[in-house]
Amino acid sequence: MWTYEKKLQYPVKIACPNPALAKAIISQFGGPDGELAASMRYLSQRYTMPYKEGIATLTDVGTEELAHMEMICAIVHQLTRDMTPEEIKRHGFAEYYVDHTAALWPQAAGGTPFSATFFQSKGDPITDLHENMAAEQKARTTYDNIIRLTDDPDVLDPIRFLRERELVHFQRFGETLRIVQDRLDSKNYYAFNPAFDYGKRRAEASECRKEYRQDNQKEQNKEKECRPDHQMQMHSCDQTHTLYFGRNAAYDGNTGKPLRNYR
Amino acid sequence: MSRMNEREKLLYRVQQFGFMTDDIRLFLNTHPACEEAFCALKYFMDAEKEAKEDYEKRYGALTLEGIDGCRGYEWIDGVWPWEVEE
Ligand SMILES: [Fe+2]
């Protein structure tokens, strides 16, 4: 669970409202590389992360991203407080104002609403960690773009803090990737997905899946009749490495048919 | 920093020590055997706790545990993090 602390991770105190700038910065709330997407990405991925260092990293970075979302919302809120209708028109804020007044709503700078399609949770730690490292760099670029749009020191100070955190998160996910790869077969990292294949092995051995196993056995027997090379695909996960190449050599990639029967 | 009022200065101490614990904790997640970082974590956790107590004595609870029994239910009072004091 989570509890709330009545403070921001880093102070936000903006003297001069600026709705036009708020419209750009809101992208780091609900945009494609924003803090909401970042938090949901890591907090979704952690359930299938097989290694404890990775679980802790995803949990703590995902939690910190929630604190960053709060800082971004505080910046947008302070940049849009006490507006007059004239200011709203002059700053190009009318389109946002008509739907949300001065409330916070997760959208990209261009108006696209927040979407879960902004992130992936793929269930393969190598894939997920690469996604996360790319995401941290994309967020860093967004902050660099925001920094070029303003010279207000009250805005630049917390934005620079947030930019710095993307670099630290990138570093930590890079270390997590190394930890994951160190535990896999260095000759072929992709032969075994530790987020799935351990579970598959446990399921195959578990008592409560007996019925499923018997059905499965029937299926396999059927397959055996029409496919004499079945042995090639029946190896356990430990041998996936050799199987991986074995399968490529023995089967046609397009049809799945054993090559020697293939004309 | 110069524009901070007394309340914000006390809160800034909590934020500084809190940030140190956040950052060291992330480091420890991928370097769990680093004793130096672990000592630093404990040091900054204590410092954060002290800074929180200093703040809460004067300006009210930051978390539910920070509620002072004598002052009643003060959680809804005080300045929320995104608010700017007039
Ligand atoms: Fe981040």
Side-chain angles (χ1 to χ4, degrees), chain A residues 4-6 8-9 11 13 53 56-57 60 78 154 165 172 175-176, chain B residues 3 8 15 19 22-23 25 29-31 52 62 75 77 81-82 84:
Chain A
Y4 188 68
E5 282 189 39
K6 232 187 207 181
L8 298 177
Q9 194 189 23
K13 192 181 186 183
E53 294 88 347
T57 299
D60 292 345
Q78 293 180 18
D154 291 350
R165 297 309 290 159
R172 298 291 164 253
E175 289 160 1
T176 310
Chain B
R3 280 175 48 232
E8 287 162 347
Q15 287 167 318
F19 173 72
D22 288 348
D23 196 44
R25 180 175 164 183
N29 285 343
T30 50
H31 307 80
K52 267 184 179 162
L62 288 168
W75 176 245
D77 301 325
W82 53 89
V84 181

PDB file of all heavy atoms in Angstrom, chain A residues 4-6 8-9 11 13 53 56-57 60 78 154 165 172 175-176, chain B residues 3 8 15 19 22-23 25 29-31 52 62 75 77 81-82 84:
ATOM      1  N   TYR A   4       0.481   8.805   2.329  1.00  0.00           N
ATOM      2  CA  TYR A   4       0.781  10.125   1.795  1.00  0.00           C
ATOM      3  C   TYR A   4       1.598  10.952   2.786  1.00  0.00           C
ATOM      4  O   TYR A   4       1.333  10.937   3.985  1.00  0.00           O
ATOM      5  CB  TYR A   4      -0.530  10.867   1.474  1.00  0.00           C
ATOM      6  CG  TYR A   4      -0.283  12.164   0.750  1.00  0.00           C
ATOM      7  CD1 TYR A   4       0.210  12.159  -0.556  1.00  0.00           C
ATOM      8  CD2 TYR A   4      -0.487  13.382   1.375  1.00  0.00           C
ATOM      9  CE1 TYR A   4       0.470  13.341  -1.219  1.00  0.00           C
ATOM     10  CE2 TYR A   4      -0.233  14.565   0.712  1.00  0.00           C
ATOM     11  CZ  TYR A   4       0.248  14.535  -0.584  1.00  0.00           C
ATOM     12  OH  TYR A   4       0.507  15.705  -1.244  1.00  0.00           O
ATOM     13  N   GLU A   5       2.613  11.639   2.267  1.00  0.00           N
ATOM     14  CA  GLU A   5       3.362  12.608   3.066  1.00  0.00           C
ATOM     15  C   GLU A   5       3.042  13.992   2.537  1.00  0.00           C
ATOM     16  O   GLU A   5       3.129  14.231   1.331  1.00  0.00           O
ATOM     17  CB  GLU A   5       4.872  12.348   2.960  1.00  0.00           C
ATOM     18  CG  GLU A   5       5.330  11.198   3.813  1.00  0.00           C
ATOM     19  CD  GLU A   5       6.854  11.087   3.861  1.00  0.00           C
ATOM     20  OE1 GLU A   5       7.551  12.106   3.926  1.00  0.00           O
ATOM     21  OE2 GLU A   5       7.338   9.946   3.801  1.00  0.00           O
ATOM     22  N   LYS A   6       2.704  14.886   3.452  1.00  0.00           N
ATOM     23  CA  LYS A   6       2.246  16.221   3.057  1.00  0.00           C
ATOM     24  C   LYS A   6       3.426  17.097   2.668  1.00  0.00           C
ATOM     25  O   LYS A   6       3.698  18.116   3.301  1.00  0.00           O
ATOM     26  CB  LYS A   6       1.509  16.839   4.249  1.00  0.00           C
ATOM     27  CG  LYS A   6       0.129  17.380   3.940  1.00  0.00           C
ATOM     28  CD  LYS A   6      -0.380  18.099   5.188  1.00  0.00           C
ATOM     29  CE  LYS A   6      -1.879  18.088   5.246  1.00  0.00           C
ATOM     30  NZ  LYS A   6      -2.353  18.803   6.435  1.00  0.00           N
ATOM     31  N   LEU A   8       6.207  17.992  -1.046  1.00  0.00           N
ATOM     32  CA  LEU A   8       6.693  17.622  -2.370  1.00  0.00           C
ATOM     33  C   LEU A   8       8.104  17.061  -2.213  1.00  0.00           C
ATOM     34  O   LEU A   8       8.800  17.374  -1.246  1.00  0.00           O
ATOM     35  CB  LEU A   8       6.721  18.848  -3.288  1.00  0.00           C
ATOM     36  CG  LEU A   8       5.375  19.525  -3.578  1.00  0.00           C
ATOM     37  CD1 LEU A   8       5.594  20.757  -4.444  1.00  0.00           C
ATOM     38  CD2 LEU A   8       4.416  18.567  -4.270  1.00  0.00           C
ATOM     39  N   GLN A   9       8.532  16.236  -3.193  1.00  0.00           N
ATOM     40  CA  GLN A   9       9.894  15.712  -3.101  1.00  0.00           C
ATOM     41  C   GLN A   9      10.913  16.853  -3.185  1.00  0.00           C
ATOM     42  O   GLN A   9      11.969  16.795  -2.569  1.00  0.00           O
ATOM     43  CB  GLN A   9      10.152  14.684  -4.211  1.00  0.00           C
ATOM     44  CG  GLN A   9      11.424  13.877  -3.931  1.00  0.00           C
ATOM     45  CD  GLN A   9      11.840  13.010  -5.086  1.00  0.00           C
ATOM     46  OE1 GLN A   9      11.488  13.247  -6.235  1.00  0.00           O
ATOM     47  NE2 GLN A   9      12.619  11.974  -4.801  1.00  0.00           N
ATOM     48  N   PRO A  11      10.851  21.415  -3.546  1.00  0.00           N
ATOM     49  CA  PRO A  11       9.878  22.522  -3.471  1.00  0.00           C
ATOM     50  C   PRO A  11       9.482  23.120  -4.824  1.00  0.00           C
ATOM     51  O   PRO A  11      10.302  23.196  -5.732  1.00  0.00           O
ATOM     52  CB  PRO A  11      10.609  23.582  -2.627  1.00  0.00           C
ATOM     53  CG  PRO A  11      11.867  22.991  -2.163  1.00  0.00           C
ATOM     54  CD  PRO A  11      12.108  21.704  -2.849  1.00  0.00           C
ATOM     55  N   LYS A  13       7.585  26.677  -5.955  1.00  0.00           N
ATOM     56  CA  LYS A  13       7.014  27.956  -5.497  1.00  0.00           C
ATOM     57  C   LYS A  13       7.182  28.984  -6.615  1.00  0.00           C
ATOM     58  O   LYS A  13       8.256  29.552  -6.807  1.00  0.00           O
ATOM     59  CB  LYS A  13       7.736  28.429  -4.228  1.00  0.00           C
ATOM     60  CG  LYS A  13       7.013  29.581  -3.544  1.00  0.00           C
ATOM     61  CD  LYS A  13       7.762  30.032  -2.303  1.00  0.00           C
ATOM     62  CE  LYS A  13       6.966  31.077  -1.537  1.00  0.00           C
ATOM     63  NZ  LYS A  13       7.708  31.569  -0.361  1.00  0.00           N
ATOM     64  N   GLU A  53      16.261  -7.487  -6.869  1.00  0.00           N
ATOM     65  CA  GLU A  53      16.811  -6.141  -7.109  1.00  0.00           C
ATOM     66  C   GLU A  53      15.894  -5.372  -8.065  1.00  0.00           C
ATOM     67  O   GLU A  53      15.658  -4.174  -7.905  1.00  0.00           O
ATOM     68  CB  GLU A  53      18.214  -6.219  -7.731  1.00  0.00           C
ATOM     69  CG  GLU A  53      19.278  -6.823  -6.821  1.00  0.00           C
ATOM     70  CD  GLU A  53      19.359  -8.335  -6.949  1.00  0.00           C
ATOM     71  OE1 GLU A  53      18.444  -8.957  -7.539  1.00  0.00           O
ATOM     72  OE2 GLU A  53      20.351  -8.907  -6.458  1.00  0.00           O
ATOM     73  N   ALA A  56      12.496  -4.345  -6.350  1.00  0.00           N
ATOM     74  CA  ALA A  56      12.679  -3.175  -5.477  1.00  0.00           C
ATOM     75  C   ALA A  56      12.868  -1.911  -6.314  1.00  0.00           C
ATOM     76  O   ALA A  56      12.292  -0.858  -6.004  1.00  0.00           O
ATOM     77  CB  ALA A  56      13.878  -3.398  -4.548  1.00  0.00           C
ATOM     78  N   THR A  57      13.657  -2.020  -7.374  1.00  0.00           N
ATOM     79  CA  THR A  57      13.909  -0.841  -8.227  1.00  0.00           C
ATOM     80  C   THR A  57      12.613  -0.366  -8.875  1.00  0.00           C
ATOM     81  O   THR A  57      12.295   0.829  -8.853  1.00  0.00           O
ATOM     82  CB  THR A  57      14.975  -1.174  -9.292  1.00  0.00           C
ATOM     83  OG1 THR A  57      16.191  -1.541  -8.615  1.00  0.00           O
ATOM     84  CG2 THR A  57      15.247   0.016 -10.201  1.00  0.00           C
ATOM     85  N   ASP A  60      10.308   1.239  -6.149  1.00  0.00           N
ATOM     86  CA  ASP A  60      10.744   2.537  -5.608  1.00  0.00           C
ATOM     87  C   ASP A  60      10.785   3.616  -6.685  1.00  0.00           C
ATOM     88  O   ASP A  60      10.426   4.767  -6.422  1.00  0.00           O
ATOM     89  CB  ASP A  60      12.102   2.392  -4.921  1.00  0.00           C
ATOM     90  CG  ASP A  60      12.006   1.558  -3.643  1.00  0.00           C
ATOM     91  OD1 ASP A  60      10.872   1.349  -3.166  1.00  0.00           O
ATOM     92  OD2 ASP A  60      13.044   1.115  -3.119  1.00  0.00           O
ATOM     93  N   GLN A  78       0.187  26.102 -10.145  1.00  0.00           N
ATOM     94  CA  GLN A  78       0.647  27.448  -9.770  1.00  0.00           C
ATOM     95  C   GLN A  78       0.778  28.365 -10.984  1.00  0.00           C
ATOM     96  O   GLN A  78       0.606  29.578 -10.875  1.00  0.00           O
ATOM     97  CB  GLN A  78       1.968  27.350  -9.000  1.00  0.00           C
ATOM     98  CG  GLN A  78       1.784  26.682  -7.637  1.00  0.00           C
ATOM     99  CD  GLN A  78       3.073  26.571  -6.839  1.00  0.00           C
ATOM    100  OE1 GLN A  78       4.049  27.254  -7.122  1.00  0.00           O
ATOM    101  NE2 GLN A  78       3.069  25.699  -5.840  1.00  0.00           N
ATOM    102  N   ASP A 154      11.909  30.245 -11.180  1.00  0.00           N
ATOM    103  CA  ASP A 154      11.005  29.486 -10.296  1.00  0.00           C
ATOM    104  C   ASP A 154      10.542  28.185 -10.958  1.00  0.00           C
ATOM    105  O   ASP A 154      10.249  27.201 -10.272  1.00  0.00           O
ATOM    106  CB  ASP A 154       9.753  30.319  -9.962  1.00  0.00           C
ATOM    107  CG  ASP A 154      10.087  31.507  -9.066  1.00  0.00           C
ATOM    108  OD1 ASP A 154      11.222  31.570  -8.569  1.00  0.00           O
ATOM    109  OD2 ASP A 154       9.197  32.360  -8.894  1.00  0.00           O
ATOM    110  N   ARG A 165      16.693  13.531 -12.178  1.00  0.00           N
ATOM    111  CA  ARG A 165      16.204  12.232 -11.690  1.00  0.00           C
ATOM    112  C   ARG A 165      16.074  11.223 -12.827  1.00  0.00           C
ATOM    113  O   ARG A 165      16.223  10.021 -12.624  1.00  0.00           O
ATOM    114  CB  ARG A 165      14.855  12.377 -10.958  1.00  0.00           C
ATOM    115  CG  ARG A 165      14.901  13.230  -9.710  1.00  0.00           C
ATOM    116  CD  ARG A 165      15.998  12.818  -8.769  1.00  0.00           C
ATOM    117  NE  ARG A 165      15.761  11.532  -8.128  1.00  0.00           N
ATOM    118  CZ  ARG A 165      16.719  10.780  -7.602  1.00  0.00           C
ATOM    119  NH1 ARG A 165      17.970  11.157  -7.639  1.00  0.00           N
ATOM    120  NH2 ARG A 165      16.431   9.630  -7.017  1.00  0.00           N
ATOM    121  N   ARG A 172      20.037   3.418 -12.867  1.00  0.00           N
ATOM    122  CA  ARG A 172      19.589   2.287 -12.023  1.00  0.00           C
ATOM    123  C   ARG A 172      18.966   1.177 -12.877  1.00  0.00           C
ATOM    124  O   ARG A 172      19.143  -0.004 -12.596  1.00  0.00           O
ATOM    125  CB  ARG A 172      18.575   2.763 -10.975  1.00  0.00           C
ATOM    126  CG  ARG A 172      19.094   3.792  -9.991  1.00  0.00           C
ATOM    127  CD  ARG A 172      20.126   3.218  -9.016  1.00  0.00           C
ATOM    128  NE  ARG A 172      20.842   4.321  -8.366  1.00  0.00           N
ATOM    129  CZ  ARG A 172      22.099   4.658  -8.627  1.00  0.00           C
ATOM    130  NH1 ARG A 172      22.828   3.941  -9.464  1.00  0.00           N
ATOM    131  NH2 ARG A 172      22.657   5.688  -8.019  1.00  0.00           N
ATOM    132  N   GLU A 175      21.732  -0.735 -14.443  1.00  0.00           N
ATOM    133  CA  GLU A 175      22.341  -1.679 -13.489  1.00  0.00           C
ATOM    134  C   GLU A 175      21.441  -2.900 -13.311  1.00  0.00           C
ATOM    135  O   GLU A 175      21.924  -4.034 -13.212  1.00  0.00           O
ATOM    136  CB  GLU A 175      22.553  -0.982 -12.135  1.00  0.00           C
ATOM    137  CG  GLU A 175      23.661   0.054 -12.174  1.00  0.00           C
ATOM    138  CD  GLU A 175      23.583   1.085 -11.054  1.00  0.00           C
ATOM    139  OE1 GLU A 175      22.664   0.993 -10.205  1.00  0.00           O
ATOM    140  OE2 GLU A 175      24.421   1.990 -11.045  1.00  0.00           O
ATOM    141  N   THR A 176      20.141  -2.667 -13.273  1.00  0.00           N
ATOM    142  CA  THR A 176      19.202  -3.790 -13.131  1.00  0.00           C
ATOM    143  C   THR A 176      19.302  -4.718 -14.343  1.00  0.00           C
ATOM    144  O   THR A 176      19.289  -5.943 -14.196  1.00  0.00           O
ATOM    145  CB  THR A 176      17.753  -3.269 -12.983  1.00  0.00           C
ATOM    146  OG1 THR A 176      17.729  -2.266 -11.967  1.00  0.00           O
ATOM    147  CG2 THR A 176      16.805  -4.382 -12.608  1.00  0.00           C
TER     148      THR A 176
ATOM    149  N   ARG B   3      13.764  33.320  -0.692  1.00  0.00           N
ATOM    150  CA  ARG B   3      12.344  33.658  -0.663  1.00  0.00           C
ATOM    151  C   ARG B   3      11.547  32.751   0.260  1.00  0.00           C
ATOM    152  O   ARG B   3      10.342  32.898   0.383  1.00  0.00           O
ATOM    153  CB  ARG B   3      11.772  33.586  -2.077  1.00  0.00           C
ATOM    154  CG  ARG B   3      12.075  34.821  -2.935  1.00  0.00           C
ATOM    155  CD  ARG B   3      11.578  34.613  -4.348  1.00  0.00           C
ATOM    156  NE  ARG B   3      10.197  34.116  -4.346  1.00  0.00           N
ATOM    157  CZ  ARG B   3       9.804  33.030  -5.003  1.00  0.00           C
ATOM    158  NH1 ARG B   3      10.656  32.318  -5.699  1.00  0.00           N
ATOM    159  NH2 ARG B   3       8.548  32.652  -4.972  1.00  0.00           N
ATOM    160  N   GLU B   8       8.708  27.140   5.317  1.00  0.00           N
ATOM    161  CA  GLU B   8       9.329  26.479   4.163  1.00  0.00           C
ATOM    162  C   GLU B   8      10.786  26.092   4.434  1.00  0.00           C
ATOM    163  O   GLU B   8      11.258  25.077   3.920  1.00  0.00           O
ATOM    164  CB  GLU B   8       9.226  27.398   2.933  1.00  0.00           C
ATOM    165  CG  GLU B   8       7.804  27.459   2.381  1.00  0.00           C
ATOM    166  CD  GLU B   8       7.547  28.647   1.465  1.00  0.00           C
ATOM    167  OE1 GLU B   8       8.381  29.573   1.426  1.00  0.00           O
ATOM    168  OE2 GLU B   8       6.497  28.652   0.802  1.00  0.00           O
ATOM    169  N   GLN B  15      12.776  17.882   3.274  1.00  0.00           N
ATOM    170  CA  GLN B  15      12.900  17.499   1.853  1.00  0.00           C
ATOM    171  C   GLN B  15      14.336  17.097   1.511  1.00  0.00           C
ATOM    172  O   GLN B  15      14.557  16.124   0.790  1.00  0.00           O
ATOM    173  CB  GLN B  15      12.431  18.661   0.969  1.00  0.00           C
ATOM    174  CG  GLN B  15      10.909  18.812   1.003  1.00  0.00           C
ATOM    175  CD  GLN B  15      10.434  20.130   0.409  1.00  0.00           C
ATOM    176  OE1 GLN B  15      11.025  21.174   0.651  1.00  0.00           O
ATOM    177  NE2 GLN B  15       9.363  20.083  -0.365  1.00  0.00           N
ATOM    178  N   PHE B  19      15.145  13.385   0.465  1.00  0.00           N
ATOM    179  CA  PHE B  19      15.702  13.111  -0.854  1.00  0.00           C
ATOM    180  C   PHE B  19      16.938  12.209  -0.745  1.00  0.00           C
ATOM    181  O   PHE B  19      17.113  11.288  -1.542  1.00  0.00           O
ATOM    182  CB  PHE B  19      16.074  14.410  -1.571  1.00  0.00           C
ATOM    183  CG  PHE B  19      16.804  14.154  -2.859  1.00  0.00           C
ATOM    184  CD1 PHE B  19      16.119  13.641  -3.955  1.00  0.00           C
ATOM    185  CD2 PHE B  19      18.166  14.368  -2.961  1.00  0.00           C
ATOM    186  CE1 PHE B  19      16.786  13.354  -5.133  1.00  0.00           C
ATOM    187  CE2 PHE B  19      18.840  14.085  -4.133  1.00  0.00           C
ATOM    188  CZ  PHE B  19      18.151  13.590  -5.222  1.00  0.00           C
ATOM    189  N   ASP B  22      15.728   8.757  -0.305  1.00  0.00           N
ATOM    190  CA  ASP B  22      15.150   8.252  -1.570  1.00  0.00           C
ATOM    191  C   ASP B  22      16.253   7.809  -2.526  1.00  0.00           C
ATOM    192  O   ASP B  22      16.184   6.742  -3.143  1.00  0.00           O
ATOM    193  CB  ASP B  22      14.351   9.355  -2.286  1.00  0.00           C
ATOM    194  CG  ASP B  22      13.036   9.676  -1.587  1.00  0.00           C
ATOM    195  OD1 ASP B  22      12.632   8.901  -0.700  1.00  0.00           O
ATOM    196  OD2 ASP B  22      12.425  10.706  -1.935  1.00  0.00           O
ATOM    197  N   ASP B  23      17.283   8.653  -2.652  1.00  0.00           N
ATOM    198  CA  ASP B  23      18.320   8.415  -3.646  1.00  0.00           C
ATOM    199  C   ASP B  23      19.228   7.247  -3.238  1.00  0.00           C
ATOM    200  O   ASP B  23      19.553   6.382  -4.056  1.00  0.00           O
ATOM    201  CB  ASP B  23      19.133   9.701  -3.853  1.00  0.00           C
ATOM    202  CG  ASP B  23      19.961   9.635  -5.119  1.00  0.00           C
ATOM    203  OD1 ASP B  23      19.421   9.177  -6.146  1.00  0.00           O
ATOM    204  OD2 ASP B  23      21.135  10.022  -5.083  1.00  0.00           O
ATOM    205  N   ARG B  25      18.498   4.841  -1.282  1.00  0.00           N
ATOM    206  CA  ARG B  25      17.692   3.625  -1.333  1.00  0.00           C
ATOM    207  C   ARG B  25      17.672   3.033  -2.747  1.00  0.00           C
ATOM    208  O   ARG B  25      17.808   1.820  -2.929  1.00  0.00           O
ATOM    209  CB  ARG B  25      16.304   4.032  -0.896  1.00  0.00           C
ATOM    210  CG  ARG B  25      15.280   2.977  -0.853  1.00  0.00           C
ATOM    211  CD  ARG B  25      14.089   3.660  -0.272  1.00  0.00           C
ATOM    212  NE  ARG B  25      12.903   2.888  -0.499  1.00  0.00           N
ATOM    213  CZ  ARG B  25      11.705   3.307  -0.120  1.00  0.00           C
ATOM    214  NH1 ARG B  25      11.562   4.482   0.449  1.00  0.00           N
ATOM    215  NH2 ARG B  25      10.664   2.549  -0.341  1.00  0.00           N
ATOM    216  N   ASN B  29      19.255  -0.664  -3.907  1.00  0.00           N
ATOM    217  CA  ASN B  29      18.472  -1.716  -4.574  1.00  0.00           C
ATOM    218  C   ASN B  29      19.321  -2.487  -5.593  1.00  0.00           C
ATOM    219  O   ASN B  29      19.108  -3.680  -5.807  1.00  0.00           O
ATOM    220  CB  ASN B  29      17.264  -1.108  -5.293  1.00  0.00           C
ATOM    221  CG  ASN B  29      16.160  -0.705  -4.325  1.00  0.00           C
ATOM    222  OD1 ASN B  29      16.147  -1.151  -3.179  1.00  0.00           O
ATOM    223  ND2 ASN B  29      15.247   0.132  -4.767  1.00  0.00           N
ATOM    224  N   THR B  30      20.271  -1.795  -6.232  1.00  0.00           N
ATOM    225  CA  THR B  30      21.128  -2.490  -7.198  1.00  0.00           C
ATOM    226  C   THR B  30      22.541  -2.726  -6.636  1.00  0.00           C
ATOM    227  O   THR B  30      23.365  -3.350  -7.302  1.00  0.00           O
ATOM    228  CB  THR B  30      21.229  -1.702  -8.526  1.00  0.00           C
ATOM    229  OG1 THR B  30      21.555  -0.343  -8.245  1.00  0.00           O
ATOM    230  CG2 THR B  30      19.907  -1.754  -9.287  1.00  0.00           C
ATOM    231  N   HIS B  31      22.825  -2.222  -5.413  1.00  0.00           N
ATOM    232  CA  HIS B  31      24.115  -2.477  -4.745  1.00  0.00           C
ATOM    233  C   HIS B  31      23.848  -2.843  -3.285  1.00  0.00           C
ATOM    234  O   HIS B  31      24.302  -2.149  -2.369  1.00  0.00           O
ATOM    235  CB  HIS B  31      25.013  -1.237  -4.789  1.00  0.00           C
ATOM    236  CG  HIS B  31      25.216  -0.665  -6.158  1.00  0.00           C
ATOM    237  ND1 HIS B  31      24.294   0.144  -6.778  1.00  0.00           N
ATOM    238  CD2 HIS B  31      26.248  -0.805  -7.033  1.00  0.00           C
ATOM    239  CE1 HIS B  31      24.754   0.491  -7.979  1.00  0.00           C
ATOM    240  NE2 HIS B  31      25.928  -0.076  -8.162  1.00  0.00           N
ATOM    241  N   LYS B  52      11.558  16.025  10.588  1.00  0.00           N
ATOM    242  CA  LYS B  52      10.090  15.922  10.544  1.00  0.00           C
ATOM    243  C   LYS B  52       9.488  16.337  11.878  1.00  0.00           C
ATOM    244  O   LYS B  52       8.499  17.076  11.924  1.00  0.00           O
ATOM    245  CB  LYS B  52       9.673  14.479  10.240  1.00  0.00           C
ATOM    246  CG  LYS B  52       9.455  14.217   8.766  1.00  0.00           C
ATOM    247  CD  LYS B  52       8.943  12.796   8.559  1.00  0.00           C
ATOM    248  CE  LYS B  52       8.703  12.552   7.095  1.00  0.00           C
ATOM    249  NZ  LYS B  52       8.633  11.112   6.768  1.00  0.00           N
ATOM    250  N   LEU B  62       2.869  15.896   9.020  1.00  0.00           N
ATOM    251  CA  LEU B  62       3.222  15.579   7.635  1.00  0.00           C
ATOM    252  C   LEU B  62       2.655  14.222   7.242  1.00  0.00           C
ATOM    253  O   LEU B  62       2.402  13.945   6.076  1.00  0.00           O
ATOM    254  CB  LEU B  62       4.741  15.555   7.471  1.00  0.00           C
ATOM    255  CG  LEU B  62       5.444  16.920   7.523  1.00  0.00           C
ATOM    256  CD1 LEU B  62       6.944  16.735   7.650  1.00  0.00           C
ATOM    257  CD2 LEU B  62       5.103  17.739   6.287  1.00  0.00           C
ATOM    258  N   TRP B  75      -4.873  16.899  10.616  1.00  0.00           N
ATOM    259  CA  TRP B  75      -4.461  16.477   9.264  1.00  0.00           C
ATOM    260  C   TRP B  75      -5.032  17.373   8.164  1.00  0.00           C
ATOM    261  O   TRP B  75      -4.388  17.651   7.171  1.00  0.00           O
ATOM    262  CB  TRP B  75      -4.881  15.016   9.041  1.00  0.00           C
ATOM    263  CG  TRP B  75      -4.606  14.473   7.672  1.00  0.00           C
ATOM    264  CD1 TRP B  75      -5.526  14.074   6.754  1.00  0.00           C
ATOM    265  CD2 TRP B  75      -3.334  14.253   7.064  1.00  0.00           C
ATOM    266  NE1 TRP B  75      -4.915  13.623   5.617  1.00  0.00           N
ATOM    267  CE2 TRP B  75      -3.560  13.722   5.777  1.00  0.00           C
ATOM    268  CE3 TRP B  75      -2.005  14.441   7.482  1.00  0.00           C
ATOM    269  CZ2 TRP B  75      -2.541  13.391   4.901  1.00  0.00           C
ATOM    270  CZ3 TRP B  75      -0.980  14.112   6.602  1.00  0.00           C
ATOM    271  CH2 TRP B  75      -1.248  13.602   5.334  1.00  0.00           C
ATOM    272  N   ASP B  77      -5.682  20.470   8.379  1.00  0.00           N
ATOM    273  CA  ASP B  77      -5.248  21.869   8.500  1.00  0.00           C
ATOM    274  C   ASP B  77      -3.891  22.079   7.826  1.00  0.00           C
ATOM    275  O   ASP B  77      -3.238  21.147   7.402  1.00  0.00           O
ATOM    276  CB  ASP B  77      -5.136  22.250   9.992  1.00  0.00           C
ATOM    277  CG  ASP B  77      -6.469  22.062  10.703  1.00  0.00           C
ATOM    278  OD1 ASP B  77      -7.510  22.300  10.066  1.00  0.00           O
ATOM    279  OD2 ASP B  77      -6.456  21.647  11.881  1.00  0.00           O
ATOM    280  N   PRO B  81       0.771  20.662  -0.155  1.00  0.00           N
ATOM    281  CA  PRO B  81       2.067  20.842  -0.827  1.00  0.00           C
ATOM    282  C   PRO B  81       2.028  21.715  -2.079  1.00  0.00           C
ATOM    283  O   PRO B  81       3.030  22.354  -2.400  1.00  0.00           O
ATOM    284  CB  PRO B  81       2.481  19.408  -1.174  1.00  0.00           C
ATOM    285  CG  PRO B  81       1.794  18.552  -0.175  1.00  0.00           C
ATOM    286  CD  PRO B  81       0.493  19.244   0.125  1.00  0.00           C
ATOM    287  N   TRP B  82       0.927  21.744  -2.812  1.00  0.00           N
ATOM    288  CA  TRP B  82       0.896  22.498  -4.065  1.00  0.00           C
ATOM    289  C   TRP B  82       0.428  23.928  -3.867  1.00  0.00           C
ATOM    290  O   TRP B  82       0.430  24.721  -4.796  1.00  0.00           O
ATOM    291  CB  TRP B  82      -0.015  21.798  -5.079  1.00  0.00           C
ATOM    292  CG  TRP B  82      -1.387  21.517  -4.536  1.00  0.00           C
ATOM    293  CD1 TRP B  82      -2.464  22.360  -4.587  1.00  0.00           C
ATOM    294  CD2 TRP B  82      -1.810  20.358  -3.827  1.00  0.00           C
ATOM    295  NE1 TRP B  82      -3.536  21.787  -3.957  1.00  0.00           N
ATOM    296  CE2 TRP B  82      -3.165  20.548  -3.478  1.00  0.00           C
ATOM    297  CE3 TRP B  82      -1.171  19.160  -3.455  1.00  0.00           C
ATOM    298  CZ2 TRP B  82      -3.884  19.596  -2.773  1.00  0.00           C
ATOM    299  CZ3 TRP B  82      -1.902  18.217  -2.750  1.00  0.00           C
ATOM    300  CH2 TRP B  82      -3.240  18.436  -2.416  1.00  0.00           C
ATOM    301  N   VAL B  84       0.393  27.824  -2.570  1.00  0.00           N
ATOM    302  CA  VAL B  84       1.340  28.908  -2.296  1.00  0.00           C
ATOM    303  C   VAL B  84       0.733  29.795  -1.224  1.00  0.00           C
ATOM    304  O   VAL B  84      -0.404  30.242  -1.346  1.00  0.00           O
ATOM    305  CB  VAL B  84       1.609  29.729  -3.573  1.00  0.00           C
ATOM    306  CG1 VAL B  84       2.606  30.845  -3.282  1.00  0.00           C
ATOM    307  CG2 VAL B  84       2.112  28.836  -4.685  1.00  0.00           C
TER     308      VAL B  84
END
